[in-house]
Amino acid sequence: MAEGSTSCELDEQSIALDGELERELINEEPSLFGGDHDQRKLLVEWTRQQQNMKSSIVLDDQLSFDAGSLRSLRYIGGADVSFVKDDPVNACAALVVLDFPTLEVLYSDVSLVKLDLPYIPGYLSFREGHFIVDKLQTVLKDRPEIYPQVLFVDGNGILHPRGVGLASHIGVCADVPTVGVAKKLFHVDGILKDEEHHRKIREMSAAGDSFPLSTADGSVLGKAVLTSGSCTNPVYVSVGHRLSLDTAVRLVNLCSKYRVPEPVRQADIQSREYIRDNFKAFS
């Protein structure tokens, strides 16, 4: 698929309820899959889609620029969805494009969105991902010359129970290189915020310090990265799609003035400003 394409070959209506998968999921996560039939059917369909997407994720550098020198890297995107306080329906989706290496905001698309699906842990991408994919389609149509060569997403990539977080979902659907940047650790397969984790955080002191996030079987799903020497808490970086973890971490460090990398930080600022301006009673 050509870079910049925004078609996702994953049609919910075409996926039949899989009885064997349903029984497996009920055994693994009874709190999610053991209740309402309609929700259970929906989650089985979403899980099947995540399995399909996982097989499409690329974990090495397939970029429009040289990963070593970063020559020809000009445009980095940031995506975020912010929520209206005490409002389960209204939210604000933001996509920004920054110049690299100046990190000047060149483009922004911020709008109100309606959340028509519930929040279910592990399935956030089905609630929010299509808003960002739609915005990528818009910039591709209206400003193709600044289409992001890499997209930073406020969320996880493969650091996810089924290996397909929001950054991976968006990356596969839009066929764009994506980096997951999370402020909180998603506990996955032995990756826990335990005393050992806290000890490693305390040992980090300089911008760029990091340590791997390894599962019980030794698989590395991401890194905790200290992006600023003035911060005490890291961000959690994981591959979304079409780039390596080393490249993802390097770009996060190069794009950080504060704890949160500028592409995500600017998307968050603009979405929150939109909410303050349009929902003053809730801000």
Side-chain angles (χ1 to χ4, degrees), residues 15-52 120-123 126 160-163:
I15 300 173
L17 182 63
D18 185 316
E20 182 177 346
L21 176 59
E22 180 176 5
R23 289 190 294 273
E24 177 183 327
L25 293 171
I26 290 173
N27 289 333
E28 290 181 359
E29 299 185 76
S31 61
L32 285 181
F33 292 92
D36 177 78
H37 173 75
D38 289 339
Q39 175 174 300
R40 188 167 68 244
K41 180 176 180 179
L42 180 63
L43 294 184
V44 170
E45 291 178 347
W46 284 354
T47 300
R48 175 66 73 196
Q49 290 191 40
Q50 288 179 333
Q51 291 175 338
N52 291 340
I120 302 174
Y123 298 90
F126 292 96
H160 179 273
R162 285 165 296 283

Side-chain angles (χ1 to χ4, degrees), residues 20-265:
E20 182 177 346
L21 176 59
E22 180 176 5
R23 289 190 294 273
E24 177 183 327
L25 293 171
I26 290 173
N27 289 333
E28 290 181 359
E29 299 185 76
S31 61
L32 285 181
F33 292 92
D36 177 78
H37 173 75
D38 289 339
Q39 175 174 300
R40 188 167 68 244
K41 180 176 180 179
L42 180 63
L43 294 184
V44 170
E45 291 178 347
W46 284 354
T47 300
R48 175 66 73 196
Q49 290 191 40
Q50 288 179 333
Q51 291 175 338
N52 291 340
M53 283 190 233
K54 185 175 181 179
S55 67
S56 299
I57 293 172
V58 175
L59 302 179
D60 53 20
D61 294 321
Q62 293 189 8
L63 305 165
S64 63
F65 56 90
D66 182 74
S69 67
L70 302 184
R71 189 177 296 113
S72 300
L73 175 58
R74 288 291 311 280
Y75 305 111
I76 297 182
D80 179 69
V81 177
S82 293
F83 301 95
V84 178
K85 185 179 179 181
D86 299 323
D87 185 335
V89 175
N90 291 301
C92 181
L95 173 71
V96 298
V97 180
L98 278 60
D99 174 75
F100 182 85
T102 68
L103 303 181
E104 174 189 359
V105 177
L106 303 176
Y107 171 94
S108 65
D109 179 1
V110 185
S111 63
L112 179 70
V113 296
K114 298 288 187 180
L115 301 170
D116 54 2
L117 293 169
Y119 169 68
I120 302 174
Y123 298 90
L124 177 68
S125 57
F126 292 96
R127 193 182 194 217
E128 300 180 11
H130 61 288
F131 298 125
I132 304 304
V133 172
D134 288 348
K135 290 185 179 299
L136 287 168
Q137 290 177 326
T138 299
V139 69
L140 181 63
K141 175 177 177 290
D142 295 344
R143 297 289 304 278
E145 72 279 5
I146 62 166
Y147 191 83
Q149 294 163 279
V150 177
L151 178 69
F152 286 25
V153 177
D154 182 12
N156 293 293
I158 65 169
L159 181 58
H160 179 273
R162 285 165 296 283
V164 190
L166 181 61
S168 294
H169 185 118
I170 292 169
V172 170
C173 286
D175 192 30
V176 63
T178 52
V179 178
V181 182
K183 294 182 282 292
K184 296 182 180 180
L185 179 66
F186 202 156
H187 293 187
V188 178
D189 191 17
I191 299 175
L192 303 172
K193 204 166 187 179
D194 53 14
E195 180 53 39
E196 175 69 8
H197 186 89
H198 285 291
R199 181 189 64 76
K200 291 178 180 178
I201 290 176
R202 290 193 297 269
E203 290 176 350
M204 295 194 295
S205 59
D209 286 352
S210 67
F211 62 85
L213 302 170
S214 302
T215 65
D217 67 4
S219 299
V220 176
L221 299 186
K223 283 191 173 183
V225 181
L226 194 67
T227 51
S228 169
S230 63
C231 295
T232 56
N233 292 317
V235 291
Y236 298 100
V237 178
S238 55
V239 171
H241 182 49
R242 285 184 51 190
L243 80 174
S244 65
L245 181 57
D246 285 347
T247 298
V249 169
R250 184 183 179 202
L251 289 174
V252 164
N253 282 318
L254 289 172
C255 291
S256 294
K257 299 178 180 179
Y258 307 99
R259 182 193 176 204
V260 177
E262 282 299 291
V264 170
R265 179 173 171 270

